[in-house]
Amino acid sequence: MSHSGTTLILIMAIAVLAPLLAYGVGRKIPVPLVIFEILLGILIGPDVLDWAHPDALIDGLSELGLAMLIFLAGYEIEFGKVRGDTLRRSVWAWLIALGLGLATGVLLGGGYTKGVFIGVALTSTALGTVLPVLRDAGDLHGRFGSVVMAFGAVGEFGPIVAMALLLSGRGAGESTVLLAVFAALTAGAVFWALRPRPPWFSRIIAKTLHSSGQFAVRFVFLLLALMLGASQALGLDVLLGAFAAGLITRLVLTGAAPESGPQILEKIEGVGFGFLVPLFFVVTGIEFDLASLLDGGRTLLLLPVFLLLFLAVRGGPIWFLAPRDLDRKDQGGLVLYGSTALPLVVAITTIGVDDKAMTAGEAAALVGAGMVSVLAFPLLALKSRSGAKVLPSEQVTGSESW
């Protein structure tokens, strides 16, 4: 059997084993599923058992998994809740974090280029990782969940835009023009998505929803492919296209098939969380440079430093700009959820290592800090909010005005 086949079998075996472990451990302490996927990936990787060896095929599937994760994060955003004062606060919190992150990154990295990679990574939020925790805790659709979604969405979309502007290797002017072109294309797609769909569109969705035709599912993946292709053609990060595709897909399905939307999302999540997303996280573990991290010295010391910087750089502005209707327990939970980072950290450090702007050890320390944040911060957030006052969205709609 080829290396690709063996590695793929091992990855899917981990994808099956990880939920069993999460369920078993979860009866005593809730541990995010992604932790088991990454740790088991490290176990079968070159630095431990040396069983799995990614190649072009596995890396391609992994990149598609990351795109699917960002797509689903974009789809989760509910425009009726992410708006007004909360949106303004979340944008300002991220902009302040970007300034702090770039300054910290330059000082810590010893140069502008490396500092940009570190600084942008410190401003990210793992919305795709946080949302399942909120969903399982029953907080996703309340006021607190909508605030986390707003801050998390900006913390995921902002770094993607920053990557397109600062990490593309082009001049700022050229990058801005290309980003504006992509924004115009996205705005056009949003305008199209908001237009009423012809009657046959919803009829064929309903007719093929449970047949081999699966028109809606195929249409969603066409939208994803188009937005990925547009971002790639403009030389922008494909994650920008994936996030935009998620936003557009929600608008299309909400307008054209409001009754079938949840069922369509279940099918898309089945493909994403059932195959592509766990593959991305397992491959992240396989490619994790454990040897560089365990060599000790500065690399190992950087891990707790980066972990604290996630809280200081990203969490600090969130604490001061959290909506005033949240109590202190909710503010603390918002800081911890907003400071949770991993997928974009992996993407940014991968680009940094490929561009030789970061060493493998520095990337491992940053990714390792992201892994610890995914393990610790959501658990601390759940604990800090135990007994917090529940504030439904309906109670605060008056304060959410444009």
Side-chain angles (χ1 to χ4, degrees):
M1 184 179 293
S2 66
H3 286 303
S4 294
T6 302
T7 300
L8 186 59
I9 290 173
L10 289 170
I11 291 172
M12 296 318 299
I14 287 176
V16 172
L17 178 60
L20 299 177
L21 294 174
Y23 174 76
V25 175
R27 287 180 292 181
K28 295 184 178 180
I29 178 173
V31 178
L33 176 62
V34 61
I35 292 297
F36 292 101
E37 293 169 344
I38 293 177
L39 290 180
L40 290 173
I42 294 175
L43 180 64
I44 66 172
D47 289 338
V48 185
L49 296 177
D50 196 24
W51 290 351
H53 301 275
D55 55 15
L57 173 62
I58 299 299
D59 285 339
L61 290 173
S62 176
E63 291 176 5
L64 188 57
L66 176 58
M68 178 58 69
L69 180 67
I70 302 303
F71 168 85
L72 290 170
Y75 187 96
E76 287 280 5
I77 296 177
E78 300 181 43
F79 287 96
K81 296 180 179 179
V82 182
R83 60 188 178 91
D85 181 64
T86 299
L87 181 59
R88 285 192 291 271
R89 288 173 177 271
S90 61
V91 170
W92 275 111
W94 183 81
L95 289 174
I96 293 172
L98 179 63
L100 293 173
L102 291 177
T104 303
V106 170
L107 291 174
L108 193 62
Y112 174 77
T113 303
K114 184 184 296 185
V116 170
F117 281 97
I118 295 174
V120 173
L122 291 175
T123 68
S124 66
T125 296
L127 182 60
T129 304
V130 165
L131 288 179
V133 178
L134 289 172
R135 186 187 295 113
D136 293 344
D139 291 329
L140 182 58
H141 299 293
R143 167 60 174 162
F144 178 74
S146 68
V147 173
V148 174
M149 190 178 297
F151 278 80
V154 175
E156 200 147 54
F157 188 68
I160 292 173
V161 174
M163 289 169 64
L165 287 172
L166 302 175
L167 305 180
S168 63
R170 295 184 295 265
E174 183 182 357
S175 296
T176 302
V177 169
L178 292 175
L179 192 61
V181 172
F182 181 81
L185 291 174
T186 303
V190 168
F191 176 76
W192 169 82
L194 292 173
R195 296 182 61 188
R197 304 266 73 78
W200 64 264
F201 191 85
S202 57
R203 285 200 300 268
I204 196 170
I205 285 178
K207 187 173 182 179
T208 63
L209 190 60
H210 302 290
S211 72
S212 60
Q214 297 292 324
F215 171 77
V217 176
R218 298 182 187 194
F219 181 78
V220 168
F221 280 109
L222 173 61
L223 284 178
L224 176 59
L226 287 172
M227 296 309 296
L228 292 178
S231 59
Q232 190 172 40
L234 292 171
L236 301 173
D237 196 289
V238 294
L239 300 186
L240 188 62
F243 197 88
L247 299 175
I248 295 167
T249 299
R250 171 176 280 275
L251 294 174
V252 171
L253 296 182
T254 300
E259 296 181 355
S260 303
Q263 299 178 63
I264 297 170
L265 178 60
E266 287 180 4
K267 294 175 181 288
I268 302 300
E269 286 182 333
V271 177
F273 293 128
F275 175 54
L276 292 172
V277 174
L279 194 149
F280 161 70
F281 284 122
V282 175
V283 171
T284 297
I286 294 173
E287 296 181 342
F288 184 78
D289 196 344
L290 184 63
S292 295
L293 186 63
L294 296 182
D295 279 345
R298 180 176 182 271
T299 299
L300 189 57
L301 290 175
L302 280 176
L303 193 153
V305 170
F306 284 138
L307 185 64
L308 292 175
L309 286 174
F310 282 134
L311 281 173
V313 171
R314 180 71 178 120
I318 292 176
W319 173 265
F320 288 106
L321 289 170
R324 296 177 181 178
D325 58 283
L326 298 185
D327 60 25
R328 286 197 172 272
K329 289 184 177 180
D330 280 345
Q331 288 178 7
L334 177 62
V335 167
L336 289 165
Y337 281 129
S339 303
T340 302
L342 185 61
L344 285 180
V345 173
V346 174
I348 292 169
T349 54
T350 298
I351 297 172
V353 172
D354 290 343
D355 291 349
K356 301 187 185 307
M358 300 181 68
T359 66
E362 291 167 336
L366 199 47
V367 172
M371 291 170 58
V372 176
S373 77
V374 168
L375 175 60
F377 292 171
L379 297 180
L380 292 173
L382 290 172
K383 185 176 180 61
S384 71
R385 292 195 66 246
S386 59
K389 179 178 64 176
V390 177
L391 187 61
S393 298
E394 291 78 4
Q395 296 182 17
V396 293
T397 52
S399 65
E400 289 299 292
S401 60
W402 284 98

